[in-house]
Amino acid sequence: MNSISTKYATLIAMVAVIVIAPMFFPSSFYYRIGALIFINGLAVMGLVVLIGYAGQVSLGHAGFVGIGAYAAALGPIYLGLPPVLGIVLGALISGSLAWLIGRPILRLRGHYLAVATLGVGILIYMVLNNEAQLTGGPDGMPVQAIGLKEFLKSIGYSVKGSVMWYWLAAIVLLVGAVIGLNLHDSPTGRALRSLHDSEIAARTVGIDVARYKLRAFVISAVYASVAGSQLALMNKFISPDVASFLHSVELVTMTVLGGASVIFGALVGATILTALPQVLTMFEDFEHVLLGLIMMLVMIFMRAGLVPSLIKLIRRLTK
Amino acid sequence: MTLLQIEGLGINFGGLAAVDKVSFAAKPGEIVSIIGPNGAGKTTLFNLISGIYTPSCGRVMLSGQDITALPPHRLAALGMSRTFQNLQVFQQMSVLENVMAGCHMGEGNHIFADLLALPATRARTRKSRTTALELLGRVGLADQADQEASALSYGALKRLEIARALATNPRLLLLDEPAAGCNAVETEEIDNLIAQIAEEGIAILLVEHDMKLVMKISNHIVVLDHGKKITEGTPQDVAKDPKVIEAYLGSSAGKEVSNAVG
C-alpha cells in the first residue's frame, strides 16, 4: 500500500536526520540550532495540516505560538502548575481560542481568511505586549526551567541543556509527524484534502466543510502552541516577539518552501529558514537578499515546494 | 411513490428569472432528463435542487420531506448526490481516494481515532477502499485506481465523478452533462452505466445535450426555455411537440430528434 510506505519512509528519513546530524556538530551550539529547527518544524507541521491538507491560509499562527509560550511561562507563576502542564494548558487555550474564533473566520475564503487570521495574530501580540504587569510587556519575562535536566542529573545522567533539548524537541517533532501522517490517510484527512481541491464537490459527498476546516484550524493551533511552550522552556525567557506578524509569515514561508502537502516538507522548510540566517551572517548585509532570492527561485521553479518537487523529479528519473 | 417533487421552483438573478416556477417529479428508478437550449436554466435548476443556490420561490420535496435550501452536505445525507458540468474532481488525490472521499458519510466522525490511527479508523479506511474499488470496477476505472486523478482523460474523469457520487449511496442522482466532451464510445459506456444505475432503483435527473442519448434512455423529459418549463412528457411526446420543435430544437435539430426516436 502506497500511503503506508509514505508514512514509514517519512518517519525513517526523519529519524535518520535527527540521529545522524549530531555527528557533524562541531560544538554544542549546534544542538541549540537543531532544537530550534525541530521546534519550528513542529509549528510548521501544524500548518501543513492547515495549508497543505485543508488548503486554508493563516497569517496569525505566531499568535498561538505566543499563547503556548506564555502559558508555559505564566502557568507555574500564577497557577502553580509544573512547567510541563503549562504546555497542556497552552494547548487547551490555543485549541479553544482557535475553535471560538475559527467558527466565524472560516466562513471566509481566500484573502479574507488570511486577513482575518492576520488580525487575530496581531491582537494576541498586542495583548502580550500591553499586559505588562502580567507578561513583562515588550521586555519579556523569565521562564521557570522544565526541571528535566536536574531530574536526569539526580538519576546519574549529566547532559548539557542544549543537548537535552535537541533530543526532547526531536521526540516531540516525531510524535507530531506520526499524528500528521496518521491524519493524512484517515477519513478526516481525506475530507480535508477533498475540500482543499473542491469545496463544492466535498459538500455534495456529505462533508461538512465548515466543521472540517475548523478542525484543521484547531489542530494546527495546538501544534503551534506546543512549539511555543517548548521555545519558552528551552530559552528560559520569552518576549512577545514570538507572537509577531513577522514570525507568522516566517512559519508560512517555511511551510510553503518545504512543500505544504507533505509532513517531511515541514522539517526541510524549518531547517532551511532557521539555519540559513545563521550561515548567511557571513554575508551580513546580503543575508536578506540571498534569502529572498532563494525563495523566489523555489517559487518559480518548484512551486509545490522543495520536497514534493524533488520526489517528482526522482520518480521521473527512475522511471 | 414519488421520490423527488419540485414545486414552483424559481430564482431571480438581478430581476431576471433564471428559473421560473418550474414543477416536475421523479420516481425511484426513473430517468428524468431536463433539456433546453443554452441558457435555458438547466444547470441553475440543478444548483437549486442540490442546495448550491437558494431558491427565491418554490419547494423541493424528497420522499415527502421539505428539503428546500438545505446545505449540500445535509442533502447528501438524505440521499442526493450529483456530478458537475465543469468537472469538480479532487485533482491532487488518487483516483481511488476520490471515490473513497465519496464514502465519507459511511466512515463516521472520529477525529481522535483518526489522529492516532486506531484500529477502528484503519478498518473504516479498508472498508471504504473495498467499496471504492468495487465502484471503480463498475465505471471501468479499476486499472487506474492508483493514478493521480489529474492524469485521467476527460471521459474517465466524468465516470470518476459518477463513481464518487455513487459512493454516497444516493437515492437520487443528478448528472450534469455526463457525456459532454466524450466520444461515441465513451458516450455509449456512460449511457449503459446510467441505465444500470436506474435499474437499481436510483432516480436520475439528467441534463444532457446529446439528444440521441437523452431520447434513448429517458423515461420522462422536462423541456425548459428561458427558465420556464414549456412542456414535459415521454421522449416520443416531447419530440413531437410543436412547441419544443419551434422554441428549442429548430427545424434541423427537430429532424435529428425524430430520427433518434425512430
Side-chain angles (χ1 to χ4, degrees):
Chain A
M1 251 161 73
N2 205 354
S3 52
I4 295 289
S5 65
T6 306
K7 177 177 169 180
Y8 291 117
T10 304
L11 290 175
I12 290 167
M14 286 181 70
V15 170
V17 169
I18 290 165
V19 173
I20 293 171
M23 297 174 188
F24 300 94
F25 288 173
S27 73
S28 64
F29 170 73
Y30 286 78
Y31 281 97
R32 215 192 103 74
I33 305 285
L36 209 58
I37 287 172
F38 298 156
I39 290 172
N40 279 333
L42 185 71
V44 175
M45 264 177 204
L47 286 178
V48 166
V49 172
L50 185 69
I51 300 175
Y53 294 5
Q56 311 298 311
V57 178
S58 165
L59 288 180
H61 254 56
F64 298 114
V65 175
I67 289 176
Y70 278 88
L74 297 172
I77 299 175
Y78 291 93
L79 302 171
L81 290 174
V84 177
L85 283 186
I87 302 179
V88 179
L89 177 72
L92 283 176
I93 297 175
S94 293
S96 318
L97 186 70
W99 188 76
L100 273 175
I101 58 177
R103 282 163 68 91
I105 284 184
L106 290 165
R107 289 176 196 282
L108 306 172
R109 281 179 177 214
H111 303 311
Y112 298 103
L113 174 69
V115 171
T117 50
L118 172 94
V120 170
I122 288 176
L123 220 63
I124 296 172
Y125 177 65
M126 281 170 61
V127 169
L128 296 177
N129 250 317
N130 294 332
E131 294 300 312
Q133 72 281 17
L134 206 65
T135 65
D139 297 336
M141 65 179 293
V143 181
Q144 197 184 317
I146 195 167
L148 186 62
K149 203 172 139 189
E150 288 68 32
F151 172 74
L152 287 174
K153 205 167 196 173
S154 72
I155 58 168
Y157 291 99
S158 181
V159 284
K160 272 200 139 148
S162 54
V163 178
M164 180 192 81
W165 272 103
Y166 179 87
W167 296 109
L168 199 59
I171 291 168
V172 177
L173 183 75
L174 283 173
V175 171
V178 170
I179 291 175
L181 289 163
N182 284 345
L183 188 67
H184 187 269
D185 294 310
S186 72
T188 304
R190 281 191 293 278
L192 291 177
R193 287 184 291 137
S194 48
L195 76 87
H196 181 178
D197 282 354
S198 167
E199 270 192 37
I200 194 81
R203 280 165 205 261
T204 61
V205 294
I207 294 166
D208 187 342
V209 165
R211 171 190 276 184
Y212 277 89
K213 280 189 200 171
L214 187 60
R215 285 179 172 179
F217 193 58
V218 170
I219 291 169
S220 65
V222 170
Y223 269 84
S225 179
V226 173
S229 298
Q230 288 189 91
L231 198 65
L233 293 169
M234 177 173 81
N235 289 342
K236 300 199 204 79
F237 175 83
I238 202 69
S239 82
D241 283 345
V242 282
S244 68
F245 170 60
L246 212 64
H247 193 210
S248 288
V249 173
E250 244 171 42
L251 291 175
V252 172
T253 312
M254 288 175 185
T255 314
V256 175
L257 179 66
S261 58
V262 291
I263 287 288
F264 193 70
L267 181 57
V268 173
T271 304
I272 293 174
L273 285 188
T274 311
L276 214 53
Q278 316 275 348
V279 178
L280 292 181
T281 43
M282 54 184 106
F283 299 99
E284 285 190 49
D285 297 340
F286 297 105
E287 182 193 327
H288 287 103
V289 178
L290 276 175
L291 213 56
L293 187 68
I294 292 169
M295 278 306 297
M296 274 171 61
L297 289 177
V298 169
M299 284 302 102
I300 293 170
F301 295 109
M302 300 184 164
R303 288 193 50 196
L306 282 171
V307 175
S309 302
L310 288 177
I311 291 174
K312 219 173 219 173
L313 185 71
I314 292 168
R315 281 211 182 121
R316 205 174 330 133
L317 292 179
T318 51
K319 229 172 212 174
Chain B
M1 259 287 273
T2 312
L3 178 68
L4 176 75
Q5 179 97 40
I6 307 292
E7 296 171 1
L9 202 60
I11 188 171
N12 299 316
F13 290 139
L16 175 81
V19 172
D20 196 0
K21 300 194 184 72
V22 172
S23 303
F24 64 91
K27 293 197 269 290
E30 195 176 35
I31 300 175
V32 177
S33 291
I34 298 159
I35 63 171
N38 285 327
K42 305 180 295 287
T43 295
T44 310
L45 179 61
F46 256 38
N47 286 341
L48 286 174
I49 298 172
S50 59
I52 289 164
Y53 296 158
T54 307
S56 7
C57 63
R59 291 200 300 176
V60 183
M61 312 283 286
L62 192 69
S63 300
Q65 184 187 355
D66 190 343
I67 58 162
T68 319
L70 282 185
H73 69 270
R74 296 274 311 277
L75 294 175
L78 292 169
M80 183 194 296
S81 197
R82 67 168 292 178
T83 65
F84 297 86
Q85 181 187 353
N86 51 339
L87 292 164
Q88 296 286 336
V89 171
F90 306 136
Q91 297 281 355
Q92 297 177 51
M93 295 165 78
S94 75
V95 170
L96 181 65
E97 281 181 321
N98 263 272
V99 186
M100 285 171 82
C103 301
H104 174 78
M105 290 183 295
E107 290 173 332
N109 195 354
H110 310 269
I111 176 77
F112 291 106
D114 286 0
L115 289 171
L116 301 175
L118 297 184
T121 281
R122 277 178 283 168
R124 278 192 288 274
T125 293
R126 268 198 304 277
K127 191 167 158 245
S128 296
R129 164 183 288 267
T130 315
T131 313
L133 278 172
E134 247 170 56
L135 286 168
L136 282 176
R138 244 181 104 178
V139 301
L141 289 174
D143 294 341
Q144 281 113 309
D146 288 324
Q147 280 186 29
E148 205 164 282
S150 52
L152 292 189
S153 71
Y154 191 77
L157 288 173
K158 290 269 180 194
R159 279 179 286 146
L160 178 60
E161 276 208 343
I162 295 178
R164 184 179 66 194
L166 285 176
T168 67
N169 227 339
R171 291 188 286 166
L172 172 68
L173 186 57
L174 281 66
L175 301 175
D176 199 349
E177 303 204 17
C182 295
N183 62 34
V185 180
E186 288 172 331
T187 305
E188 177 83 27
E189 283 167 4
I190 285 183
D191 173 354
N192 291 332
L193 185 61
I194 295 173
Q196 267 176 40
I197 296 168
E199 262 169 37
E200 289 170 19
I202 298 173
I204 290 174
L205 276 195
L206 183 68
V207 165
E208 183 51 64
H209 279 299
D210 188 327
M211 272 311 135
K212 226 165 135 184
L213 176 71
V214 168
M215 291 299 164
K216 187 171 150 202
I217 67 173
S218 306
N219 301 111
H220 194 83
I221 293 177
V222 176
V223 188
L224 293 186
D225 191 21
H226 296 297
K228 283 194 178 65
K229 181 176 81 178
I230 54 172
T231 187
E232 66 177 312
T234 62
Q236 286 79 10
D237 294 345
V238 168
K240 276 183 248 153
D241 195 317
K243 265 191 300 199
V244 177
I245 296 166
E246 190 186 319
Y248 159 55
L249 294 170
S251 52
S252 63
K255 255 182 235 134
E256 194 190 311
V257 169
S258 347
N259 291 342
V261 174

